[in-house]
Amino acid sequence: MFKAYHFFNLLDFYQLTTLWQTFASFFQLIFNLYFFGSLLSFIALTVRRLNDADLPWGLIFLNFILGLGTLVLLILNLFPSSPRALKFKEYEINSSQEFNNLPETKTLSGIFKDYFKNYFEFRGRTTRRNFWWVQLFWGLTVILFLFLIYLFNQFEQIMFGYNFIGSMVLRLFFFLFILGTFFPQLTIHVRRLRDAGLSNLGLSLLLGGTSGILIFYQMFTKTLKITYTTVHYQLVQYLLFLLVMIAVLSLILVEVMATGELKTNKKNSLFEKID
């Protein structure tokens, strides 16, 4: 992705078309999202590897010594497993089974308690009922924020002629709300798709593909508005919009399915097998 960014950025340097600039920015954004999104998982994986080799987990801080420290840590990760580290494997197996066999929460308070309790939990499953109750309240909260921001904007324009502190504070709280619910929203989508019967690969392709297409469409549209070249790319923009709609509708269609509805009788890379 990093190479792809430089490639399309080079094309944009020679000003071939605005489309190349969008590709360059898109790959840069994907690279940044991948780096920061995988940072926690990389740290967790490295700590587990050190535990497996019966080495102190604090060696992870060798990464702060750029170059040499990372190389030393890489060599330490090549050490064989230690018999004294079996306790960690037993915990991981029990923990995984526990999350996959959790009973469905019946009450609304329990649903939202599980939602925030499993903030970073990608394992396990979320039933259709629990998922859509959370999405209903999340969507209503977003609509309420947007409505209040619009009202404050109109009021401040009438009173002062410009946006004042009220709308700025609301925008800040709205940003914090979106930022704070990003991970629980991501994890609950993953658990719902798995509950419907998608494998880890299948849900990654559907959720990741939908997100990538949507981000690229937004960046492409904004780039066209900035450069005033919308007329030349109307067909491309229309086709991208159709692709976004197909991807989003496919995601929603899977998420409204019942538990295990996509499971198959035979082993499949995209769908789970019926037990």
Side-chain angles (χ1 to χ4, degrees):
M1 287 184 292
F2 192 66
K3 292 292 185 181
Y5 160 69
H6 280 290
F7 172 72
F8 287 112
N9 193 46
L10 180 64
L11 292 176
D12 176 60
F13 177 77
Y14 291 106
Q15 299 181 354
L16 292 181
T17 61
T18 304
L19 183 61
W20 301 127
Q21 180 184 358
T22 305
F23 271 112
S25 302
F26 176 72
F27 278 106
Q28 183 185 27
L29 176 63
I30 294 298
F31 176 77
N32 292 336
L33 290 175
Y34 169 78
F35 176 79
F36 289 107
S38 62
L39 184 60
L40 288 176
S41 59
F42 169 76
I43 294 174
L45 181 66
T46 305
V47 169
R48 292 199 301 269
R49 179 76 270 273
L50 292 172
N51 287 332
D52 184 61
D54 199 25
L55 294 171
W57 67 268
L59 292 172
I60 188 71
F61 294 108
L62 286 172
N63 280 310
F64 287 110
I65 307 175
L66 299 180
L68 180 60
T70 304
L71 179 61
V72 172
L73 186 60
L74 177 62
I75 295 174
L76 292 176
N77 285 331
L78 296 175
F79 282 20
S81 300
S82 171
R84 292 194 295 178
L86 292 176
K87 58 182 179 180
F88 296 107
K89 293 184 178 179
E90 182 181 354
Y91 169 77
E92 289 179 0
I93 293 174
N94 293 335
S95 180
S96 178
Q97 292 173 347
E98 178 185 353
F99 270 93
N100 285 327
N101 297 320
L102 284 177
E104 179 183 1
T105 305
K106 299 296 184 181
T107 62
L108 283 178
S109 60
I111 290 174
F112 287 97
K113 181 180 178 181
D114 288 343
Y115 174 69
F116 288 105
K117 181 181 178 181
N118 298 322
Y119 205 96
F120 296 105
E121 188 54 66
F122 289 90
R123 296 173 297 176
R125 307 173 189 278
T126 299
T127 61
R128 176 170 57 183
R129 174 180 177 272
N130 291 8
F131 174 81
W132 284 108
W133 269 115
V134 170
Q135 298 311 306
L136 174 63
F137 280 90
W138 186 86
L140 290 176
T141 305
V142 170
I143 293 174
L144 178 61
F145 264 115
L146 295 177
F147 180 69
L148 290 176
I149 291 173
Y150 173 78
L151 285 183
F152 269 77
N153 280 338
Q154 297 301 314
F155 175 77
E156 290 171 352
Q157 287 293 334
I158 294 174
M159 294 295 297
F160 309 106
Y162 56 89
N163 292 336
F164 200 53
I165 190 170
S167 59
M168 294 174 60
V169 170
L170 274 176
R171 286 192 179 92
L172 175 61
F173 278 110
F174 181 58
F175 172 76
L176 293 176
F177 169 76
I178 295 297
L179 186 64
T181 57
F182 172 77
F183 264 105
Q185 280 293 96
L186 176 61
T187 55
I188 198 173
H189 276 276
V190 170
R191 297 195 301 269
R192 173 78 271 268
L193 293 175
R194 183 182 294 114
D195 182 68
L198 286 180
S199 66
N200 290 335
L201 175 61
L203 64 89
S204 298
L205 291 175
L206 179 58
L207 191 59
T210 302
S211 302
I213 293 170
L214 185 59
I215 292 172
F216 181 78
Y217 174 75
Q218 292 292 332
M219 294 176 60
F220 183 72
T221 304
K222 290 181 179 180
T223 303
L224 293 182
K225 289 182 179 179
I226 293 174
T227 54
Y228 304 101
T229 56
T230 308
V231 177
H232 303 288
Y233 292 99
Q234 283 184 341
L235 179 60
V236 177
Q237 188 176 6
Y238 176 72
L239 293 176
L240 282 175
F241 175 76
L242 289 180
L243 191 60
V244 168
M245 290 296 100
I246 292 173
V248 171
L249 290 176
S250 299
L251 180 63
I252 294 175
L253 179 64
V254 174
E255 289 176 338
V256 298
M257 291 182 175
T259 299
E261 191 169 341
L262 290 176
K263 287 187 175 182
T264 59
N265 293 320
K266 298 181 180 180
K267 187 176 181 181
N268 192 298
S269 59
L270 298 179
F271 306 102
E272 290 186 340
K273 184 181 179 181
I274 297 177
D275 299 330

